[in-house]
């Protein structure tokens, strides 16, 4: 199956906005969970936001709540991440990934653990300057 392909990364100033896209043809089935992750140099990959294609569930990491919005367009097989009020701490490579079988409820929350997800894209770079 074709890997997801991310795009939309760029360099912006603090307070700016970006919208990331992930072309994920073949992955838009109702029993899949799609998510965005990010990884800064020298740091572990962490979950940013997730969405269940079987319903309307969306979930976010605490550090992006209220600033980022995950959405999808099934007709275009595309996942989005709208990022507003960007901060220098948001600088990272951003990846989209897929979990077959739906989003997982883990320890009282929807899981954004990278180990839960397969079918990763190559990433798109976001750089936020102060």
């Amino acid at each position: 199956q074709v890997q997801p392909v991310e795009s939309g990364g760029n360099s912006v100033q603090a307070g700016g906005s970006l919208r990331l896209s992930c072309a994920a043809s073949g992955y838009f089935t109702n029993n899949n969970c799609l998510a965005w992750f990010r990884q800064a140099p020298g740091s572990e990959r962490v979950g940013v936001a997730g969405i269940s294609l079987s319903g309307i569930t969306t979930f976010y990491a605490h550090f992006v709540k209220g600033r980022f919005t995950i959405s999808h367009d099934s007709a275009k097989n595309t996942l989005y991440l709208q990022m507003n009020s960007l901060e220098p701490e948001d600088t990272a490579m951003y990846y989209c990934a897929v979990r077959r079988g739906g989003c997982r409820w883990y320890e009282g929350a929807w899981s954004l653990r990278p180990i839960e997800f397969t079918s990763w894209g190559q990433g798109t770079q976001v750089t936020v300057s102060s």
Side-chain angles (χ1 to χ4, degrees):
Q1 200 161 15
V2 179
Q3 276 186 307
V5 179
E6 302 93 338
S7 63
N10 211 329
S11 296
V12 296
Q13 290 194 322
S17 298
L18 283 174
R19 187 176 82 157
L20 305 184
S21 299
C22 173
S25 178
Y27 295 103
F28 273 79
T29 60
N30 281 347
N31 63 341
N32 282 352
C33 182
L34 303 182
W36 287 97
F37 295 80
R38 71 187 190 187
Q39 187 168 18
S43 299
E44 294 185 350
R45 191 169 298 188
V46 296
V48 173
I51 187 166
S52 168
L53 296 183
S54 62
I56 57 172
T57 301
T58 59
F59 46 99
Y60 299 88
H62 66 91
F63 50 82
V64 302
K65 278 184 179 179
R67 300 189 299 127
F68 292 9
T69 303
I70 189 170
S71 63
H72 66 85
D73 184 335
S74 295
K76 296 182 179 180
N77 292 324
T78 302
L79 178 71
Y80 300 103
L81 184 68
Q82 178 66 43
M83 306 188 295
N84 299 328
S85 302
L86 283 162
E87 304 167 351
E89 293 74 20
D90 295 317
T91 294
M93 186 73 78
Y94 283 71
Y95 302 88
C96 66
V98 181
R99 185 182 193 275
R100 291 175 176 79
C103 300
R104 186 184 180 200
W105 187 256
Y106 179 77
E107 294 186 344
W110 293 111
S111 175
L112 282 171
R113 297 190 307 159
I115 195 173
E116 304 276 4
F117 291 78
T118 59
S119 306
W120 293 83
Q122 294 299 308
T124 186
Q125 178 67 38
V126 173
T127 302
V128 185
S129 58
S130 57

